[in-house]
Amino acid sequence: AGQGVDFPTYFKGQGDDDFIARMSPAWSGALPATWLHRRDGSVAEFWEGGASYETFSEKVRTLLDEAAGAGGS
């Protein structure tokens, strides 16, 4: 809260394998890795490796459209 963070965050305090498994069983641990979440916290998209601005923009717009179509929930 001292840094203005008022949303769930994650801190790796133990070994890599435990952290990776808790983040996603589909994640090999490779970086970069991206998770996009819906408003309810569920994972909408996950991928390993980089992505272009266009890819991020398209995927985020899809999620925003999905949320708008569901009444913003």
Side-chain angles (χ1 to χ4, degrees):
Q3 299 297 320
V5 177
D6 61 356
F7 49 84
T9 58
Y10 303 92
F11 176 78
K12 184 180 92 61
Q14 301 296 321
D16 291 344
D17 291 339
D18 288 339
F19 177 76
I20 291 165
R22 288 176 186 257
M23 288 297 293
S24 171
W27 184 32
S28 72
L31 294 174
T34 301
W35 289 263
L36 297 178
H37 296 264
R38 293 181 185 89
R39 286 181 166 212
D40 66 4
S42 65
V43 175
E45 295 274 350
F46 163 76
W47 69 87
E48 293 179 337
S52 67
Y53 173 85
E54 290 77 17
T55 297
F56 275 102
S57 180
E58 176 185 323
K59 292 185 179 295
V60 168
R61 286 181 193 278
T62 298
L63 285 174
L64 291 173
D65 289 346
E66 177 185 298
S73 60

